[in-house]
Amino acid sequence: AQTVTQSQPEMSVQEAETVTLSCTYDTSESDYYLFWYKQPPSRQMILVIRQEAYKQQNATENRFSVNFQKAAKSFSLKISDSQLGDAAMYFCAYRSGAGGGADGLTFGKGTHLIIQP
Amino acid sequence: NAGVTQTPKFQVLKTGQSMTLQCAQDMNHEYMSWYRQDPGMGLRLIHYSVGAGITDQGEVPNGYNVSRSTTEDFPLRLLSAAPSQTSVYFCASSSRAGSGQPQHFGDGTRLSIL
């Protein structure tokens, strides 16, 4: 079974600065997908960014980017120019690829991100 | 687009009562799933379905039942509510399993069992 570990229960960053959230995972599969989801106080689960394991290029979405290190099984999220609206819980998640994936997403325990004005 | 719709948003039950959490999606997604979220933990998979008529257990299925009679609907039933089932429940859907397409989540149901 796959596991996802987020070692930072809470992170704090000043507005406009850059912060990196860590995520490591354990799997024996070669085909899989990794995700970062944001959960603001409204409780909604919002997709931030997605990475396919077969792609070496790191995914980016505006101010959000990842550092995907497949050999190290590491998938960190970098938020540039932090904004007050970025304050939320952030969850790293894993999903098996073709031939699997029927068992849904495996989530880490989350990192609570605080933005200091 | 409505996306994934969960009802109710909040519910309080007494121990031993039964109830059904409703989930509907209008995106013609094959794959649907239920998760629960407890404090200090990420979401954990309860049950999932890869298509109408097909369901299977996830990580924490005990005390829950599901069925999938249509593509659109995937209700979650609590047969005899217990305080340990106090949680926030999320329904999610995606186009199909294994595609890598992100799951779309409903807004969640906060359930309290007294």
Side-chain angles (χ1 to χ4, degrees):
Chain A
Q2 296 79 27
T3 59
V4 177
T5 302
Q6 294 179 250
S7 60
Q8 306 151 317
E10 187 172 278
M11 292 283 286
S12 181
V13 64
Q14 292 286 334
E15 191 176 5
E17 294 188 346
T18 295
V19 63
T20 298
L21 308 185
S22 300
C23 173
T24 58
Y25 58 95
D26 188 23
T27 184
S28 59
E29 298 174 333
S30 60
D31 183 17
Y32 54 87
Y33 302 85
L34 296 165
F35 305 86
W36 279 98
Y37 280 89
K38 171 185 177 181
Q39 186 178 44
S42 65
R43 194 171 75 197
Q44 290 178 305
M45 292 292 290
I46 302 166
L47 178 68
V48 175
I49 202 164
R50 180 178 79 117
Q51 175 79 43
E52 296 92 337
Y54 61 84
K55 288 187 176 180
Q56 291 187 333
Q57 186 173 4
N58 290 325
T60 62
E61 287 288 341
N62 301 314
R63 297 183 294 108
F64 299 87
S65 62
V66 298
N67 184 6
F68 174 48
Q69 301 289 328
K70 190 172 184 178
K73 297 180 182 176
S74 172
F75 183 60
S76 60
L77 175 70
K78 185 172 80 172
I79 306 173
S80 303
D81 185 25
S82 298
Q83 300 176 1
L84 294 178
D86 295 334
M89 284 292 291
Y90 285 82
F91 291 97
C92 180
Y94 171 104
R95 190 175 193 186
S96 295
D103 51 352
L105 291 162
T106 300
F107 284 86
K109 292 186 177 182
T111 296
H112 182 211
L113 179 62
I114 298 168
I115 310 296
Q116 304 280 5
Chain B
N1 285 341
V4 179
T5 302
Q6 288 185 237
T7 55
K9 295 192 184 303
F10 303 94
Q11 184 70 49
V12 178
L13 292 178
K14 295 181 179 179
T15 297
Q17 287 185 316
S18 62
M19 81 159 294
T20 299
L21 306 184
Q22 301 292 344
C23 176
Q25 53 91 8
D26 62 358
M27 297 172 283
N28 201 31
H29 283 170
E30 291 182 0
Y31 183 88
M32 297 186 73
S33 53
W34 277 100
Y35 295 85
R36 61 176 289 173
Q37 182 179 25
D38 300 303
M41 305 190 71
L43 281 69
R44 293 182 293 167
L45 185 67
I46 304 171
H47 284 287
Y48 64 91
S49 169
V50 298
I54 306 170
T55 64
D56 207 343
Q57 298 180 350
E59 180 185 353
V60 288
N62 292 341
Y64 307 95
N65 199 2
V66 292
S67 60
R68 183 98 179 267
S69 57
T70 67
T71 299
E72 294 78 19
D73 300 300
F74 190 45
L76 178 72
R77 297 181 185 84
L78 279 69
L79 307 174
S80 178
S84 61
Q85 294 178 303
T86 293
S87 189
V88 178
Y89 291 84
F90 287 94
C91 180
S93 73
S94 61
S95 54
R96 58 183 174 87
S99 69
Q101 291 301 311
Q103 295 201 27
H104 299 259
F105 285 83
D107 290 341
T109 295
R110 181 175 294 278
L111 182 63
S112 296
I113 315 295
L114 304 178

